[in-house]
Amino acid sequence: MPDQEFVSEGAESVVEFAIGGMTCAACSTRLEKVLNRQPGMQANVNLAAERARVRLQGAAVEAVIAAVAKAGFTAVPVDAGTREREKIAKQQAYRQELRHFWVALALTLPLVGQMVFMFGEGGHDNELPRWLQLALATPVQFWIGARFYDGAWKSLRGGGANMDVLVALGTSMAWIFSTVVTVFGLHEQHVYFEGAAAVITLVLLGKLLEARAKARTSAAIESLIRLRPKVARIERAGHWVDVPVDALMPGDVFLVRPGESVPVDGVVEEGDSSVDEAMLTGESMPVGKRTGDQVFAATSNGSGSLRCRATGVGEATLLAGIIRMVGEAQGSKAPVQRLADRISSIFVPAVCAIALLTFLLWWWLGGDFAAALVNSVAVLVIACPCALGLATPTAIMVGTGQGAQAGILVRNAEALERAEKITVLALDKTGTLTQGRPRLTDLFALVGDERQALRLAVALEQHSEHPLARAVLAAWQEQAGAAATGHELPAVSQFNAITGQGVEAWVDDQQFRLGAPDWLGQAEAPQVLALQGQGKTVIVLARIEAAGVVVPLAYLAVADTLRASSRAAVQRLQQRGIKVVMLTGDNAATAAVIAREAGIEDFRTGILPAGKAAAINALKTAGSVVAMVGDGINDAPALAAADVSFAIGAGSDAAIEAADLTLIRSDLMGVADAISLSAATLGKIRQNLFFAFIYNVVGIPLAALGYLNPVFAGAAMALSSVSVVTSSLMLRRWRPGQ
């Protein structure tokens, strides 16, 4: 996201900020409310990613930073170097907090250890002198625990309350009571220095464990960033020189040697090799590259050298786009999180009220001030809004990261949530179910052999740009690659293209035609009818004799064949209870053949682009959750109309921009994988939210009823957040095909 100092009146942009100082869900919820109350700002704050995405409409970046600061946090606009700076800062902060934890542990262990001896003979006679307990607990309370007081003050100053308020309030009550007992020599009263110190130490431990676990949730995007090459070998004045990748410009010629990574996106100008694109597509098999093929930044070259021309550099590479899209998806908010947000906004005040009520009832009914204090402290300490706040974003971060590694790019969390609910999947035929390019499937020579017939057909078609001509030429090139000799083409003269019919030319003083069967009088030929019945387009090669007599020499059949994985993908979708519908502009015969091969029963033919959108809307009116898969510009209206839309990665920019999810690999199986990923992610979110709710629903009443010591309550609170993040990390086990 570019640095942006000022947004002029009426302009609109989205700026991402790195947020510092958030400690729990109450913080992120409050900050989001603060920003959304500001004029010209629409914000989305993510606790797990520590990011805020703000849509600015006539507001300045400085206004966002000021509003965030007033709420008690820090904000820095994200740029290309932010992630690396954040990583270094977090590592330094982690090391400092780790040192604080070891100090806190050293001071707390004697306080907790004495409790073991107090259960033996002598009871309280075995406890440490109270002045020593005060000396040990005070640094933990006010030096190690300073972060909780700072966070609580900023939260209250901003008009809210967060987890720091609960920890600071609970431990302070225990420390103040114990200090009063110690100073005034009230020996009949027990002191709770060990409780206050242990809670702070355990919460700090929980924060350290949580930080480590959260760092792992962004492992996928970090691995993508690490793939970026640092150096490129480019051509300068006839010489090859090594330069930083950032110095490359579109149009520069670069060399990729065997075993090297491709530095930027480009087109092969010379060379023949295979490239491992697994980091982009999830496909383990290398992809052959030759002149005219595209190569992508950070993919790994095989054994051949490639001379390429740069087409996309810097933030314009496919890899940069993936990183950007994954980051945006990880920072977005799923609708299922709204319930947790609403609860988090009232959570801390409600817990404080319960703690106060617990204190009053225990003191009033039991007459025991110490018991009332301990139980109210336990209520404050065990309550944890963090688990609620982390339940959704951590799962989204891991899920979208896993998707990116499998070649599934999620535009936002809402799309990921909706994908699980799909009941009808509409898809285009050409380029989605099929390869997207016609190829020669059959050649029947009526005179001579097939090689000679193909050679003559290529000679006639070599100057044509028609898709059928390209299919014939591609078949010839495949043969030429397999055999180096005998593939020279004969010379042609008097070439003429007849629109809608075919081509004609003279070869070796003989006239030949190549074109539609009805033009050459072969429309009723049995072989032609048989091939057309298979959904193939037939062209006829013929020699024209004296007096215009047509002598057919060969029949060539061209078809856009089904992708190898399409039938299995359709079957997998149907097994999930999803109805698959094919929408195509092709004729009924061709569509019927492809539908039959793919295992699709419902297909609509002769549909124009606007008709596809209308078909999607008709399916939606029946109450279905409708998804659309497409790859072309003509699919964009239908993609925009669908509840969930998928774009094949090899498709047009218009289709990709209109889609909710993009499949880098041109394979329908990616749709099934995306739906599987959605189900796994949403299942994990529901599991996280269930345990977060249950933890608080069960834990707070137990503490209020006196069944939980503050030390155990602190340990449970610390572990609750860790358990939610760890649960989300289990999503890393998801694999395509599940």
Side-chain angles (χ1 to χ4, degrees):
M1 193 66 64
D3 288 329
Q4 192 165 347
E5 298 301 327
F6 179 76
V7 181
S8 60
E9 189 68 32
E12 178 177 309
S13 65
V14 177
V15 181
E16 187 173 16
F17 295 86
I19 304 297
M22 293 192 298
T23 58
C24 70
C27 295
S28 57
T29 302
R30 179 167 58 84
L31 180 58
E32 191 170 286
K33 286 183 177 179
V34 168
L35 292 175
N36 285 327
R37 284 199 296 264
Q38 307 300 314
M41 297 184 197
Q42 182 183 348
N44 180 21
V45 180
N46 186 306
L47 171 65
E50 297 179 338
R51 289 284 195 271
R53 290 180 58 79
V54 186
R55 186 181 301 279
L56 300 175
Q57 297 173 313
V61 168
E62 288 82 356
V64 178
I65 297 173
V68 172
K70 189 175 180 180
F73 308 100
T74 62
V76 178
V78 172
D79 58 27
T82 299
R83 189 175 295 275
E84 190 61 32
R85 291 194 299 270
E86 274 189 319
K87 189 175 180 180
I88 294 171
K90 285 182 179 180
Q91 288 173 345
Q92 292 173 343
Y94 181 83
R95 286 194 291 268
Q96 181 180 353
E97 293 214 349
L98 187 60
R99 287 194 295 269
H100 283 179
F101 167 73
W102 288 117
V103 173
L105 184 64
L107 294 172
T108 303
L109 280 177
L111 295 171
V112 176
Q114 68 173 340
M115 298 174 67
V116 177
F117 298 104
M118 288 172 61
F119 289 110
E121 293 185 17
H124 286 283
D125 295 334
N126 293 324
E127 72 175 358
L128 294 174
R130 291 186 174 182
W131 63 265
L132 179 57
Q133 293 187 49
L134 175 61
L136 291 170
T138 301
V140 177
Q141 185 71 39
F142 297 106
W143 175 42
I144 305 299
R147 56 170 290 169
F148 300 110
Y149 288 102
D150 181 61
W153 164 246
K154 289 178 178 177
S155 177
L156 293 170
R157 186 185 65 184
N162 62 3
M163 185 196 74
D164 291 334
V165 173
L166 300 179
V167 174
L169 187 59
T171 58
S172 295
M173 288 172 60
W175 184 88
I176 291 170
F177 174 78
S178 301
T179 301
V180 170
V181 169
T182 300
V183 171
F184 289 98
L186 306 176
H187 298 293
E188 69 279 2
Q189 290 287 352
H190 183 63
V191 292
Y192 298 97
F193 288 120
E194 79 284 347
V199 165
I200 289 175
T201 303
L202 288 169
V203 172
L204 192 57
L205 173 62
K207 286 291 180 185
L208 289 170
L209 295 174
E210 181 185 317
R212 288 189 62 181
K214 281 168 66 176
R216 293 172 62 194
T217 63
S218 58
I221 197 168
E222 290 290 346
S223 66
L224 290 175
I225 292 171
R226 284 195 298 271
L227 290 171
R228 284 173 164 168
K230 301 293 189 293
V231 177
R233 173 161 286 233
I234 67 171
E235 192 174 30
R236 286 282 188 268
H239 299 284
W240 294 104
V241 294
D242 290 336
V243 299
V245 168
D246 294 339
L248 262 68
M249 298 289 290
D252 283 344
V253 175
F254 61 89
L255 179 68
V256 188
R257 291 172 294 189
E260 290 184 338
S261 292
V262 179
V264 294
D265 292 0
V267 175
V268 178
E269 290 197 335
E270 184 182 330
D272 194 337
S273 185
S274 60
V275 175
D276 183 356
E277 297 182 343
M279 47 74 63
L280 289 179
T281 65
E283 178 59 59
S284 59
M285 292 297 294
V287 180
K289 299 291 181 181
R290 60 184 62 179
T291 302
D293 289 339
Q294 284 186 303
V295 292
F296 302 102
T299 54
S300 181
N301 187 27
S303 58
S305 292
L306 296 173
R307 184 177 181 270
C308 311
R309 186 171 297 276
T311 57
V313 301
E315 292 300 304
T317 64
L318 179 60
L319 177 63
I322 291 172
I323 293 170
R324 187 165 54 250
M325 189 176 287
V326 173
E328 290 172 359
Q330 290 183 342
S332 61
K333 190 172 291 187
V336 73
Q337 192 174 343
R338 292 170 187 157
L339 175 62
D341 287 347
R342 287 197 297 269
I343 292 174
S344 296
S345 65
I346 61 171
F347 186 85
V348 175
V351 170
C352 290
I354 294 171
L356 178 61
L357 184 63
T358 300
F359 176 78
L360 294 174
L361 288 176
W362 273 89
W363 194 12
W364 177 47
L365 295 176
D368 188 340
F369 179 84
L373 177 67
V374 169
N375 293 334
S376 61
V377 168
V379 170
L380 290 170
V381 170
I382 197 169
C384 185
C386 290
L388 286 172
L390 292 169
T392 299
T394 52
I396 293 293
M397 289 178 73
V398 178
T400 52
Q402 289 298 107
Q405 291 183 330
I408 303 166
L409 299 186
V410 182
R411 187 173 295 277
N412 55 61
E414 186 173 358
L416 188 65
E417 180 174 337
R418 286 200 307 266
E420 183 203 29
K421 303 178 176 68
I422 294 170
T423 56
V424 175
L425 179 71
L427 43 80
D428 180 44
K429 176 183 76 67
T430 305
T432 304
L433 277 171
T434 65
Q435 298 284 352
R437 58 183 185 275
R439 58 184 294 269
L440 184 67
T441 58
D442 302 272
L443 196 163
F444 294 102
L446 305 176
V447 177
D449 61 26
E450 294 180 355
R451 176 176 293 184
Q452 286 300 319
L454 180 59
R455 179 172 175 266
L456 186 56
V458 171
L460 295 173
E461 293 279 36
Q462 61 183 316
H463 300 298
S464 174
E465 292 297 323
H466 193 280
L468 298 181
R470 289 199 294 269
V472 173
L473 291 171
W476 177 255
Q477 288 169 354
E478 287 180 9
Q479 284 198 14
T485 60
H487 284 84
E488 297 79 8
L489 297 176
V492 298
S493 61
Q494 301 182 48
F495 176 85
N496 185 30
I498 294 88
T499 304
Q501 300 294 341
V503 297
E504 63 180 4
W506 287 77
V507 178
D508 297 333
D509 297 324
Q510 288 186 303
Q511 185 182 12
F512 294 92
R513 287 179 181 174
L514 182 70
D518 54 353
W519 181 45
L520 297 171
Q522 299 296 304
E524 300 301 322
Q527 284 180 302
V528 170
L529 294 174
L531 290 169
Q532 289 177 334
Q534 298 172 22
K536 298 174 181 178
T537 300
V538 181
I539 49 179
V540 179
L541 173 66
R543 184 176 64 246
I544 309 302
E545 301 283 359
V549 176
V550 176
V551 179
L553 304 178
Y555 300 134
L556 295 84
V558 176
D560 184 7
T561 56
L562 197 70
R563 292 185 189 275
S565 60
S566 290
R567 183 174 181 84
V570 168
Q571 192 173 38
R572 186 176 163 198
L573 289 164
Q574 291 170 339
Q575 287 172 348
R576 295 189 71 92
I578 297 172
K579 180 183 178 181
V580 181
V581 180
M582 185 177 77
L583 307 177
T584 178
D586 267 350
N587 62 70
T590 302
V593 171
I594 293 295
R596 183 171 63 251
E597 291 178 356
I600 298 173
E601 296 180 1
D602 190 348
F603 60 94
R604 324 282 171 89
T605 62
I607 298 178
L608 297 174
K612 289 184 181 180
I616 294 294
N617 288 323
L619 291 168
K620 287 168 67 176
T621 57
S624 302
V625 178
V626 181
M628 172 69 189
V629 188
D631 75 321
I633 293 174
N634 64 332
D635 296 322
L639 290 170
D643 295 309
V644 185
S645 51
F646 300 86
I648 297 292
S652 71
D653 291 342
I656 292 171
E657 284 298 318
D660 297 314
L661 298 100
T662 299
L663 311 176
I664 298 297
R665 187 173 60 197
S666 297
D667 188 339
L668 189 62
M669 193 63 79
V671 176
D673 287 335
I675 295 171
S676 167
L677 177 63
S678 169
T681 305
L682 266 294
K684 186 58 66 177
I685 289 173
R686 295 189 189 102
Q687 177 183 320
N688 288 350
L689 287 173
F690 172 78
F691 284 114
F693 280 124
I694 288 297
Y695 164 81
N696 285 291
V697 167
V698 173
I700 292 174
L702 286 176
L705 293 172
Y707 292 113
L708 280 178
N709 181 281
V711 175
F712 295 113
M717 188 269 278
L719 291 174
S720 64
S721 297
V722 179
S723 64
V724 164
V725 178
T726 304
S727 172
S728 294
L729 287 172
M730 300 292 283
L731 270 174
R732 294 172 70 178
R733 296 181 177 180
W734 178 88
R735 293 291 182 273
Q738 292 181 347

